[in-house]
Amino acid sequence: MSPIGVDEWVARSGDRRQQHSGPLGALSRAYARVNWWQRLLVLAALGVAFGQIGANGFQQIVAFNSVLYAILAVGLNIVVGWAGLLDLGYIAFFGIGAYGYAMFSSHALGSLLTMTGGAELPTIAAVPIVLVFAGLVGMVIGLISLRLGGDYLAIVTLFFGLAFFEFVNNVDQTNLGGNNGIIALLPWHGFGGEIRSTIGYYYVVLIILILLMAALHLLNESRTGRAWRAVRDDELAAEVMTVPVNAVKVMAFSFGAMVAALAGTVFAAQQGNVFPTNFQSPILILIYACLVLGGVGSIGGAVLGGLAVTIVQQMLGSPTDEGYLFYGIILLALFWKVRPWQYLAATLAAIVGFGFAAHAIAGAISRSAIAGPTGSVGWIGSALRHWVVVPVNGETYGNILFVVVVCALIGIIRLRGIVRLVAVVPTIYFAACCWESRLSVDPAITAEIMIGGILVVMMAVRPHGILGTRRVEIV
Amino acid sequence: MKVFRYLVAAAGVIALASVTVFAGTSAAHNATVAKACNASIAIEAPLTGPVAQLGLEQLAGAKAAVGAYNKADGVHVTLGQDDTQLTPALAVTKTAAIISSNAVAIVGPSGSQEVLAVGPALTTAGLAAISGSATNVTLTTNGADKTFFRVVATDGVQGPQDANYILKHEKPKAVLIIEDEEAYSTGLGGTIQQILTAAGVTVNVQSFNGQDTGATLANDLSSIVASQLNAAETVTVMPIQEAADAQQFAEDAKQAGKTTLVFGTDGTDSSSQFFFPGSLVSNFAPDIATVNSKLDKTVTKQIKAAGTYGPFGVPSYVAAAVEVNAIASVCKAGKTPSRSNVLAAIRKTNLPANANPMGQVIKFKADGDLTTSQFYLFKINASGKYIQISTK
Amino acid sequence: MQIFIQTLVNGLTTGSLYALIALGYTMVYGVLKLLNFAHGDLFMVGAFIGYFAIGWFGGPTALTIPVPLLVIIMLVIASLGVGGLGVAIERFAYRPLRNAPRIAPLITALGISFVLENAVLLFFGGLTRYYNTPAFIPFSISIHIDGVSIGIVNIIIFAGSIILMLGLTALVNRTVLGKSMRAVASDREAAEMLGINVDRTIAMTFFIGSALAGAAGVMYGLYANQVANLIGFLAGLKAFTAAVVGGIGSIPGAMIGGMFIGLCESFSLSYISTRYGDLFVFAILIAVMLVRPTGIFGQAPLQKV
């Protein structure tokens, strides 16, 4: 129940007064004592340190992607979190940055390059031009937002995003590359050197992120930041208080666009190419997930979300890690939710016992009912071999179990107390059986289902994100 | 405060996740402890997303081949899966993961765009990649990827064959080409258009958004039928990837009372989805489920047991088989499989036509294409079955 | 002239399908202010249920029951099934977010969309399933105007959507349930204080909206024949667009919006270009939004000061 009529500061006073004891409390007090720029320096130091340990190619790319998505989430935060404008076409600005950079840095294009004298521009000139262009486009979109509100703006920005993809894919094959994209781009170069390796680009995005966080923090604390928050909370009141609402909104779009375009230029340089399919809805959904899971309205939240979502997504891409994540989440949920520890121990014991009993019964009924291979390989698979019931042709069995588990989960929500714990035991066992017999056989599809499930659960548990602040409805 | 508890928990989860990702990346593709001939390969395909069916068929084909040839050659090769969703950026990341692991060869990538994107990385790593579906002609001619092979013929073979057949047998005055705005389609469509135009035929090129589904797709196709298909266009070429779209177009044309011969390319070869009587389909391999030879029956059974059977499964089967054979030959020579010697072994592949379900000799040229490649032509008869006809 | 009529027919049919889905969208939005991006996937589930229903009764070429009965059974089963699924989703995923910031349910809806699409992929594979309607509803059953044949399926869809829209309007304006829906849409806390069971009203709203989506799925399957696990994404997008362009929260608006978009698409594709048709549709819609910022039938929300 939202506290009606209470303002934000008062609503969070309870949080402020709560003091934690022990090491967690000491840590939180130390955190609160440290200045924002000191925290930023620590983050920068961690980032640089990571770059120094000998990471292999894959780890470098994951690190680069995480920081890139952090930058994108921070940029989106300006538009959605601070100014409160729902921008569903954000991916188009990312694409504008990438394609803009590509047009100025490619050997492979047609007549457009004669505009630049036939020579590719040096990075120090190309990137600012692209940024300015993106800022102008952002301003135009921002002007549209003055006329429309809320969800209507969402639709128009969505069109813009889709139109960008169509435009780049279909219009003008010679200059924009069409389906086949633009390949063989020049890397970022200047001052006699050039950046060719992924780790080099990782440092570039790290520097960009730190500088961006610092700049945006300062901006947030300034009049502009206060103006943005005022417009987000109550536009009419802000206007009455002489906040230039229109200028503020357009500026938010513009800034967000420039941040995305900057990310786009680095992305294009690191990949060495641009393809239209790199700028479609799945990426937009990912950026939004980063921002919302991390906490809308908070820079730290956006960065945390960017890092977390990218890393979890990579984890889900590898089948063994997926298994760890699946079982890990189940155990984590049990540990978090079941208190006191006696109940927890009893539940775990019951699950194990139920499993062995079911395995024995199924084996007694029919040998082929337990003869199927477990999907997980390695030590998890061998450990669970004698615990789960996996028949030889487990596909239909697994499908049915999946539906049963989902229904059971829905049912569990409606139960309370000890009955809930009793229902949890077979549910978890069936979930494990379903995993071994069906879900881990198709790890790529299961990864997508798990991503969806994680989004739903995270939003149900903590709707304002990890570092977001609860906003209070003022009636 | 509560926020802080969540923050620490989140940091802990990220740390744990990072440790597992960064420490355990090789776990995904690890071979078992080196005893007998152990190695691992990986398949890069779009296992989810708009073309998931293609990826799943390729996965089933590769799994079946690895299982069968492990037994036949007496080796132990494991197959890792990587989902690229046909997005080049994702393909780059997954390829980096594969390069960082122990895999000695790749089946894939499936899309021409992806090959363009990951080519340089593969060359630097010296990792062989055999694709069963990337048919863009420039992939082997642009020199960007020196370790890329493919077991299917390129658009440069299919396009001229189809166009010449149309010119010789149908002798149309005008032809309608319908593309789906994807790279495969525009490349093939362009080749066919050039040949037809050079022969004096009026070519009308239309395209619809291949990612459209549902009512929008129905609208696209029926609009093309209503406004573009005229009586002179007796042949409609559809170089698209979704067979059901070809069927829908054919039925829309029939409903509007217009007659045209629908000519589909390899993307439309699917007897359960495109079965409009009288149509023609070209493909790089016959649908082996309908062929009676013992080899084809065995292979069909193996693929069906490994997953879903479809036309894209067969080339991936052959690609995986080539890789397992290469690994086996390296082991037989007494060496441990590594990327360089597996690459060298692949270059020496010589699989006779009767030993593989594609029905042609599998031997690679220096640039990675097959030495001989042919396309088959099928006509759909009145009951919807594909009958092979001569391409002459 | 023939092209014009054919384009008109195509546009109206497509538009009716969009309108059906948009009706469910707009109902849910009106009551909960929630943009349910998973709505399109409910449509997809409905289409699949219809496909399997055909299979239960012998398959497209060997039906064991008469065709009108089959169509009615398909519609009923799909509506009930998808309606139930919608209620479950609301209970499980959206209810905890009643008081959350507006953007949280957006992400939840995206999550549910992922789960539905990929669960269907897991269970049934990625192969496009074919209704094969011409096998049991032949093209010969149609009206002929000036050389253009309007199939009975087109007529069913168009008539069906108008009937459903009128029924829905009657429901909202004349029944007690409709009154409680309007009350909850207007001010949820006040409605609760007045004794209206908000939870039950919202569940019923979801049920009706999802049932409409399910029925739309079956009709779409009959018209366009192809069902695959990703048809919902684009359908949901178009429906969202239709609902917004027509004025979100307004039922006749959803209908008009859907028709408008269907016709726009049709005429752009036929008369302008199939390659750039989409871009033109976007341009037209943006222009409409700029001229009428709250949609064609929408009302500007009252701002409380």
Side-chain angles (χ1 to χ4, degrees), chain A residues 292 296 459 462-465 469-471 473, chain C residues 97-106:
Chain A
V292 177
V296 179
M459 280 295 108
R462 197 160 165 88
H464 36 279
T469 48
R470 232 172 357 130
R471 296 202 27 242
E473 282 295 309
Chain C
L97 296 175
R98 287 266 175 86
N99 296 320
R102 291 277 312 283
I103 201 161
L106 205 80

Side-chain angles (χ1 to χ4, degrees), chain B residues 219-220 222-223 226-228, chain C residues 1-12 14 259-274 276-278 280-281 284:
Chain B
N219 215 358
D220 291 336
S222 45
S223 296
S227 65
Q228 297 297 334
Chain C
M1 192 55 191
Q2 193 175 23
I3 301 183
F4 179 79
I5 297 185
Q6 186 69 54
T7 311
L8 191 66
V9 169
N10 290 343
L12 285 177
T14 319
M259 293 291 184
F260 181 69
I261 292 185
L263 287 169
C264 259
E265 265 183 17
S266 234
F267 279 94
S268 299
L269 289 170
S270 285
Y271 285 102
I272 300 178
S273 149
T274 47
Y276 305 128
D278 274 345
F280 275 104
V281 174
I284 294 175

